Amino acid sequence: MKPDIKEIVSHFNIEGTFKEFEKIDTGHINDSYRIMTNSTNHPGYFLQWINTNIFKDVIGLMNNISAVTSHLAEKLAKNANLNFKVLEIIPCKDEKKYFRDENGHCWRMYTFIDQMHGYDVVENTKIAFEGGKAFGIFISLLADLPADRLTETIPDFHNMEKRLETFVNSVKSNPADRVKEIQEEIAFVKQQTEQMLTIPALIKSGKLPMRITHNDTKFNNILFDNTNHAMCIVDLDTVMPGSVLFDFGDAIRTGANTAAEDEKELSKVDVNLPIYEAYTRGFLKNTGSALTEAEINNLAFSARFMTFIIGLRFLTDFIDGDTYFRTAYPDHNLVRCRVQFRLIEAMERNAEKMHEIVMHSI
Ligand code: GN1
Ligand code: MG
């Protein structure tokens, strides 16, 4: 059944009255809508259905976003020269940060960020540099937010050991009878496993510190203004303690891939080194001096680590019969996985160059 958007909006404390809405096709988890009102001097609103199969603790989730956005807003008020925007939660009329409808569906609202755009494929090095700088600033501004203010919205989100365990169990139980189609991918996972487990080992040993990180740094989660200045980081659902490697790696996975995340023509997949270099320089500009030796030494590898963990999740979801990520056709998750695995191979061939670039940018 289609949700009654106008009725849902009526529970939020908005300026003006509801006029119309438009569904926005973004992300693989939540559903998003742009809400237009009759108010001429207001950009309207961004309404989201929160996928509670994935975000089970909605109160914890919204408290996290609230803690992060207030912290950022306070910092930005003192640093006007940063020229950065922060998401603004629009509470409900009863002051709650989300609305639960009669079917138990949960909704939240932000002010719409007007006249901004994102990039699914990064067009040039200036944009990559700006993007890297923005995520670097984001992490540095959050460095002094006490970690105990945040809950883990998705436990073990980038825990490679757990993700591998889940994968092995899915292969064993083979619920959708798809394992026969993925023998090559299973072999690739086996071949990569040992190296991928070096990161959780460094985390356990304390050599890789936990910081407050975004954890879902797809390049299109950075919004740019019309002069291509990176203005705002969105999608704050997974801001929680994590490694800086998670944020750097996922941005490279998405920003420095020459093809789309779900490109069917695998020969188009490659790592764009100039984009990688520009992003790295931008990112390290504000974070470089705070990083430990283990972080620096693993930064280039983190791109492979994150590409692997997300490829593995796409593959696991394919085996499970597509229960987690939104898909548009039956083997969409497998196509996504193959792109990730191909990108890892390209990054392996360039591993030395990628590490040198980090060392030159620090
Ligand atoms: C999901 O929905 P979206 O695109 O923001 C996923 C990320 C993956 C990404 C892959 C909460 O993010 O971890 O990297 O898909 N988010 C969650 O494109 O699982
Ligand atoms: Mg997301």
Side-chain angles (χ1 to χ4, degrees):
M1 209 181 70
K2 282 207 168 153
D4 183 347
I5 298 295
K6 183 176 176 184
E7 205 282 325
I8 291 159
V9 169
S10 74
H11 295 273
F12 287 89
N13 205 354
I14 64 167
E15 239 179 70
T17 51
F18 174 92
K19 197 164 113 201
E20 54 187 339
F21 74 90
E22 175 193 11
K23 194 156 194 276
I24 300 177
D25 186 21
T26 180
H28 301 335
I29 310 286
N30 300 320
D31 288 345
S32 307
Y33 304 82
R34 179 174 185 175
I35 308 296
M36 274 73 81
T37 70
N38 63 359
S39 166
T40 45
N41 59 357
H42 192 280
Y45 297 92
F46 187 77
L47 177 75
Q48 273 189 317
W49 167 78
I50 305 171
N51 186 333
T52 48
N53 290 325
I54 291 171
F55 296 105
K56 296 190 163 57
D57 171 14
V58 187
I59 299 179
L61 170 76
M62 293 312 293
N63 283 343
N64 272 19
I65 297 180
S66 173
V68 168
T69 53
S70 345
H71 184 84
L72 290 174
E74 242 175 70
K75 288 266 164 127
L76 293 175
K78 290 183 211 145
N79 284 287
N81 58 330
L82 281 180
N83 191 17
F84 222 62
K85 266 189 192 229
V86 58
L87 284 179
E88 180 199 14
I89 301 176
I90 302 297
C92 296
K93 288 180 175 156
D94 63 7
E95 292 180 3
K96 285 212 182 80
K97 296 181 190 96
Y98 69 96
F99 168 64
R100 189 184 291 272
D101 70 19
E102 58 197 27
N103 303 313
H105 292 302
C106 293
W107 301 83
R108 65 159 169 235
M109 192 180 256
Y110 298 112
T111 304
F112 192 81
I113 306 219
D114 208 11
Q115 294 174 14
M116 300 258 178
H117 57 276
Y119 291 94
D120 288 328
V121 173
V122 182
E123 289 169 10
N124 59 52
T125 51
K126 178 183 180 288
I127 292 166
F129 179 81
E130 274 289 310
K133 212 172 77 182
F135 267 124
I137 293 172
F138 184 86
I139 292 189
S140 2
L141 293 178
L142 289 177
D144 60 345
L145 174 66
D148 60 7
R149 296 272 308 277
L150 301 181
T151 52
E152 225 184 330
T153 55
I154 302 182
D156 295 314
F157 193 46
H158 295 314
N159 181 334
M160 186 66 88
E161 286 176 322
K162 284 270 164 63
R163 295 289 185 187
L164 280 162
E165 221 174 273
T166 309
F167 165 76
V168 168
N169 288 336
S170 287
V171 171
K172 269 190 205 138
S173 60
N174 192 11
D177 195 24
R178 285 172 159 181
V179 168
K180 54 182 181 295
E181 295 172 53
I182 56 157
Q183 293 310 311
E184 270 183 42
E185 288 72 24
I186 293 178
F188 185 79
V189 171
K190 283 195 184 139
Q191 179 240 321
Q192 291 285 321
T193 294
E194 193 183 328
Q195 194 177 9
M196 293 299 162
L197 289 175
T198 57
I199 298 296
L202 286 169
I203 292 175
K204 274 192 208 152
S205 73
K207 288 200 177 112
L208 286 175
M210 287 294 111
R211 303 173 183 277
I212 293 180
T213 47
H214 182 284
N215 296 305
D216 189 5
T217 53
K218 262 189 182 172
F219 200 90
N220 64 9
N221 278 332
I222 312 164
L223 298 186
F224 290 78
D225 70 6
N226 52 18
T227 67
N228 270 333
H229 167 69
M231 279 295 282
C232 188
I233 301 293
V234 297
D235 194 355
L236 307 177
D237 291 329
T238 51
V239 179
M240 55 185 167
S243 164
V244 71
L245 301 184
F246 304 158
D247 279 8
F248 182 79
D250 198 28
I252 299 304
R253 173 186 80 85
T254 48
N257 184 355
T258 50
E261 185 181 65
D262 58 355
E263 173 59 58
K264 290 186 180 154
E265 186 45 69
L266 286 180
S267 63
K268 291 188 183 160
V269 176
D270 205 345
V271 56
N272 184 326
L273 286 179
I275 295 283
Y276 167 80
E277 173 162 27
Y279 187 91
T280 305
R281 277 194 293 108
F283 186 76
L284 291 175
K285 195 172 152 63
N286 291 285
T287 55
S289 59
L291 299 188
T292 65
E293 202 182 326
E295 287 174 319
I296 293 167
N297 286 338
N298 285 284
L299 210 58
F301 175 65
S302 77
R304 271 187 278 156
F305 179 85
M306 289 307 292
T307 307
F308 183 75
I309 204 165
I310 289 160
L312 184 69
R313 289 171 59 202
F314 286 144
L315 186 60
T316 308
D317 199 33
F318 176 75
I319 303 171
D320 292 347
D322 312 318
T323 61
Y324 187 97
F325 296 105
R326 184 184 301 125
T327 50
Y329 51 89
D331 58 353
H332 202 169
N333 271 317
L334 182 56
V335 169
R336 288 170 176 152
C337 160
R338 287 183 172 150
V339 170
Q340 308 313 302
F341 288 2
R342 177 60 80 100
L343 183 59
I344 292 172
E345 289 171 343
M347 293 191 292
E348 268 173 353
R349 287 194 298 275
N350 288 285
E352 265 178 42
K353 277 188 214 147
M354 289 173 73
H355 181 61
E356 273 164 28
I357 289 171
V358 169
M359 298 319 278
H360 288 149
S361 312
I362 205 91

